[in-house]
């Protein structure tokens, strides 16, 4: 039997560009304390957030994704026409159809690209990065634009102190391209659908609900092993990791996972992304936002090994190591 022709893939893949976008409007803990029964002290201590960015009504998820995506393409030194697939990780599109990705591709100038949304909530960016990496390695696309974009404030009850203090808006993006060596490690991913009720939007007229304490316990006990598995799958040691960029859910969760990584061999000087302090929890956007902010601040250098891990509603989780562009 004759086999079908295959488009040659690439031995490895790498992130070749990063970009991010946050709305201008800053909402501080003090601002929230004026409209609900909370305080700056409580939020700092329990969640670690000081400020968060919130989109205006006319600032749409797709607008933020376009901004972040266009910056990532420029950062890669590419033209929009070089991009052969667009993936938008999001769980907050206001419409079921059309998806975000096709509009984003069109507005950036990516011509007739395959474009699809992927919903793995706060694990979405790592899911999409793994998918983009596999598209490149399999030869389905040479360059893939991977975006995490969320307008969570559309889905949060603005007076619910258990969620409105946490969630925020923004977008982050990476361009994945071919590479002789593997600079995006194998993904460690999975889900726990039996726990799907822990974080949910029940129907189109509901706001986000979460069982805060259960989510906290799950994240602080179940996610460090996923991160460690991602390191092992890449064939490196925890001590090789330069920077840890987890989903920015809660500063106490971030510190608890980092502590476990250090107990298992991560270096004392491991850099830890704490972007949540001034960005809030932006779900699938939080990891690329944090990575881009660390790079802008000169905290990471090209070639550094970053350990990414996303986790959240589903429940779902995914992690991989990447070399910083
Ligand atoms: C939501 C979360 C911040 C709540 O913190 P907590 O320490 O678990 O707080 P609890 O729910 O036990 O509430 C403790 C007290 O603080 C109160 N409280 C809750 N939210 C408050 C707020 N924003 N301001 C002031 N007090 C608050 C509660 O009413 C409760 O009061 P009580 O003791 O008088 O009954 C925390 O559970 C959390 O961050 N969970 C993880 C959520 C998350 O990361 N989700 C995203 C996953 S991707």
């Amino acid at each position: 039997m004759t086999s079908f022709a295959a488009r040659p893939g690439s031995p490895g893949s790498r992130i070749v560009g990063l970009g991010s976008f946050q709305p201008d409007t800053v909402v501080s803990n003090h601002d929230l304390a004026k409209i609900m029964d909370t305080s700056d002290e409580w939020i700092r201590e329990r969640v670690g957030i000081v400020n968060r960015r919130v989109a205006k009504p006319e600032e749409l998820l797709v607008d933020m994704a376009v901004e972040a995506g266009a910056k990532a393409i420029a950062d890669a030194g590419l033209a929009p026409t070089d991009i052969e697939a667009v993936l938008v990780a999001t769980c907050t599109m206001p419409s079921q159809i059309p998806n975000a990705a096709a509009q984003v591709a069109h507005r950036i100038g990516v011509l007739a690209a395959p474009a699809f949304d992927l919903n793995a909530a706060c694990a979405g960016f790592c899911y999409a990065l793994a998918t983009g990496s596999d598209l490149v390695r399999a030869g389905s696309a040479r360059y893939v634009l991977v975006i995490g974009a969320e307008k969570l404030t559309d889905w949060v009850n603005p007076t619910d102190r258990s969620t409105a203090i946490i969630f925020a808006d923004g977008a982050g993006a990476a361009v994945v391209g071919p590479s002789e060596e593997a600079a995006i490690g194998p993904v460690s991913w999975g889900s726990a659908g039996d726990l799907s009720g822990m974080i949910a939007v029940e129907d189109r007229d509901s706001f986000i609900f979460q069982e805060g304490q259960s989510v906290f316990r799950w994240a602080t006990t179940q996610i460090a092993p996923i991160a460690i598995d991602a390191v092992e799958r890449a064939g490196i040691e925890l001590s090789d990791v330069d920077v840890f960029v987890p989903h920015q859910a809660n500063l106490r969760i971030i510190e608890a996972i980092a502590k476990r990584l250090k107990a298992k061999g991560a270096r004392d000087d491991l850099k830890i992304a704490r972007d949540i302090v001034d960005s809030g929890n932006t779900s699938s956007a939080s990891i690329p936002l944090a990575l881009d902010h660390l790079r802008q601040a000169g905290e990471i250098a090209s070639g550094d090994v970053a350990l990414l891990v996303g986790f959240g509603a589903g429940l779902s989780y995914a992690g991989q190591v990447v070399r910083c562009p």
Side-chain angles (χ1 to χ4, degrees), residues 36-39 42-43 46-47 122 161-163 165-167 199 210-216 219 247 249-250 252-253 281 283 311-313:
M36 63 184 75
D37 184 13
T38 191
S39 67
W42 194 96
I43 301 172
R46 299 289 181 112
V47 192
C122 305
R161 68 179 185 172
S162 68
T163 50
I165 58 159
I166 294 175
F167 294 112
I199 314 172
Q210 62 173 355
E211 291 171 20
Q213 286 190 6
S214 309
V215 175
F216 189 90
H247 165 49
N250 173 317
R252 285 194 297 150
I253 295 176
N281 177 338
S283 190
F311 51 90

